[in-house]
Amino acid sequence: MARSVDITVDGKRPDPWADGLGRVGVRSAQILLVLTVVVVSVFALLQIRLLVIPVLIALILAAAIMPFVNLLKRRGLPASAATAVAFVALLAVLAGVTTVIVASIRSQWGDLASQASSGLDELQSFLLNGPIPVDGEQIEQARAAIVEFAASSQVRSGAITGLSVITEFLAGASLMVVILFFFLKDGAAIWNFFLRPYTGAREAKLRRSGARTIQVLGDYVRGTAIVALVDTVAIGTALLVLGVPLAIPLAIIVFIGAFVPIVGATVAGILAALVALVANGPVVALIVVIVVIAVNQLEGNLLQPVVMGKSLQLHALVILLALTAGTILAGIIGAVLSVPLAAVIWAIVQVWTTDAAEPEPEGSAEAGESADPADAGRDLAAADASRS
C-alpha cells in the first residue's frame, strides 16, 4: 500500500501560497470578494432606489447652488434665511420652466397635430409614388397593425405601469425637495456627524473627500448648465427662425438633454429634426440637422474644454462606460447621474492615494462647529490642481 510522502525544505513544509500561482490565487480571491461586495451593494441600493435617487439628486443640486447660499450668508443673511431664499429661487425656476413647456404645448398642439397629419399624408404619397414604390395594401396592413397594437392588452398594462412610474416620480420628487432643503440648511452639520468616529489623518482625508465631492459636483452641474444654455439658445433660435412648431419646448428638451453626456444633445437634436420633418418638410429638417451638428462641434471643441476645465477629469471612454452602466441600472435617471458620480469616485480615489493628507484649510471649524465643505473645497482645489 502506497504511502504519501511530504516534501520538505530545510525541515519545513513549503507554503503552497508562496509561489507565483499561489499569489495569483490570493489576488484573484480578493478581486472576486471585492466584486461580490460591489454587486451586492448595488443590488441593495437598487431595491431602495426611491430613497437613493432623491438623495443623490438633492446632493448634486445642493452642491450646485451652495455658492449662492454662501454668498447670501456673506451679505449678512442668517443661515436659515439664505437657505430659504436659495430654495425658493430654485423652486421658482423649476416651476417657471414647467409652466413654459405646458403653455407652449397647449397653444401649439392643434397646429402640430394638423401639420403632422398633412406630413403623414405626404409621406404616404411619397411611399406610393416614389422611386421605390410600396404597395398600398402593405401600408394599410402596417396601419392596421399599429392600431391593433395600440388597443392591445400590452399597451393597457404599459399604461398602468406608466401610472405607477408617475406616482413613484411624484413621491421621489417630494422627498428630494425635503432632503435638498436640509442639505442646504444643515449639510455641514450632517457631514460632521458622520465624521465623529474618525480622527487624525483619516479624518483629514475624509474631510478632503467631502470637499472634493462638493467641488466636483458643483463645477460639473454649473459647467454643464452653461454649455446647455448655449446649446439651447443656438438651437432654439434656429427653430424659431425656421418656424418649427414647439420651438420653445424643444429648446428646453435640448437643455435637459445636455446633462446626459455624449448622447443627450444628439437625441434632443434628432427629436427637433423629426418635428421639423413632419411639420415643415425635409429641407427645413435638413437645416435643423446641420445646425445641431454645428452646435455639437462647437460644444465639444470649445465650450466643454473652456467652461468645464478640470471638473470632469475622465476619458471619453470612461464617460461612455459609466453612461451605459447607469442607463442599464436606473434608466434615464441613471444616465444623468452616472457621469458626475464617476467623476466624484475618481476624485475620491485621488484623495486616498496621496502619500499624506493635505493640511486643513486656514479658518476651518473647531471641534463642535459646523464646517462648510463648499468653503473648504475652494481652499483645497489649488492643492489638487497642482498635484494633478
Side-chain angles (χ1 to χ4, degrees):
M1 184 176 181
R3 294 187 305 171
S4 60
V5 179
D6 294 335
I7 300 176
T8 61
V9 178
D10 296 333
K12 296 181 180 180
R13 180 178 300 176
D15 185 1
W17 302 103
D19 58 1
L21 182 60
R23 289 192 294 271
V24 171
V26 171
R27 188 63 66 189
S28 300
Q30 291 173 339
I31 293 174
L32 290 175
L33 180 60
V34 171
L35 291 177
T36 302
V37 172
V38 171
V39 170
V40 171
S41 301
V42 171
F43 178 78
L45 292 176
L46 289 177
Q47 305 311 304
I48 55 172
R49 58 182 177 272
L50 188 59
L51 172 63
V52 174
I53 292 177
V55 170
L56 293 177
I57 295 177
L59 177 61
I60 293 175
L61 291 177
I65 63 179
M66 185 63 73
F68 180 60
V69 176
N70 294 332
L71 176 64
L72 295 178
K73 291 179 182 178
R74 288 194 295 269
R75 293 297 177 88
L77 280 180
S80 299
T83 301
V85 170
F87 188 72
V88 171
L90 178 62
L91 293 183
V93 170
L94 294 178
V97 171
T98 304
T99 303
V100 169
I101 293 176
V102 173
S104 300
I105 292 177
R106 290 185 60 182
S107 63
Q108 302 183 36
W109 183 257
D111 295 338
L112 181 62
S114 61
Q115 290 175 338
S117 178
S118 301
L120 291 176
D121 292 339
E122 292 179 4
L123 178 61
Q124 181 175 352
S125 176
F126 175 78
L127 292 176
L128 291 173
N129 306 315
I132 306 178
V134 179
D135 189 4
E137 184 179 353
Q138 295 177 343
I139 297 178
E140 291 299 328
Q141 290 177 353
R143 180 178 297 178
I146 294 174
V147 173
E148 182 180 357
F149 174 76
S152 64
S153 59
Q154 181 179 358
V155 174
R156 289 195 295 270
S157 63
I160 296 175
T161 303
L163 182 61
S164 175
V165 170
I166 292 175
T167 304
E168 289 186 2
F169 172 79
L170 294 177
S174 302
L175 181 61
M176 184 272 294
V177 169
V178 176
I179 296 173
L180 174 60
F181 178 80
F182 284 108
F183 276 175
L184 290 175
K185 182 177 179 295
D186 302 321
I190 295 173
W191 183 235
N192 286 335
F193 173 80
F194 284 108
L195 294 183
R196 283 183 181 178
Y198 304 99
T199 58
R202 180 167 297 181
E203 180 189 7
K205 286 198 172 185
L206 286 172
R207 289 193 179 278
R208 291 192 65 249
S209 298
R212 287 287 293 144
T213 298
I214 297 299
Q215 179 193 357
V216 169
L217 290 179
D219 290 347
Y220 174 79
V221 174
R222 290 187 293 270
T224 304
I226 293 173
V227 173
L229 182 61
V230 174
D231 293 351
T232 301
V233 171
I235 296 178
T237 302
L239 295 178
L240 288 173
V241 171
L242 295 172
V244 178
L246 300 178
I248 295 179
L250 288 173
I252 295 176
I253 292 175
V254 170
F255 181 85
I256 297 173
F259 284 87
V260 181
I262 299 177
V263 299
T266 302
V267 172
I270 292 174
L271 178 60
L274 289 176
V275 173
L277 176 63
V278 171
N280 302 87
V283 176
V284 175
L286 180 61
I287 296 175
V288 171
V289 170
I290 294 174
V291 171
V292 170
I293 293 176
V295 170
N296 285 339
Q297 290 298 317
L298 176 66
E299 172 190 335
N301 297 325
L302 178 63
L303 293 179
Q304 287 281 1
V306 172
V307 175
M308 300 295 289
K310 291 187 176 182
S311 61
L312 193 63
Q313 299 177 350
L314 297 176
H315 192 272
L317 179 60
V318 177
I319 294 176
L320 183 60
L321 294 177
L323 188 63
T324 304
T327 305
I328 294 174
L329 293 175
I332 298 297
I333 298 296
V336 174
L337 298 178
S338 58
V339 176
L341 291 181
V344 167
I345 292 173
W346 176 240
I348 293 176
V349 168
Q350 288 180 315
V351 170
W352 283 87
T353 52
T354 53
D355 295 333
E358 296 289 341
E360 289 292 325
E362 184 179 355
S364 60
E366 300 292 338
E369 297 180 3
S370 63
D372 193 341
D375 293 335
R378 288 192 298 269
D379 296 324
L380 294 168
D384 290 330
S386 62
R387 182 173 55 256
S388 59

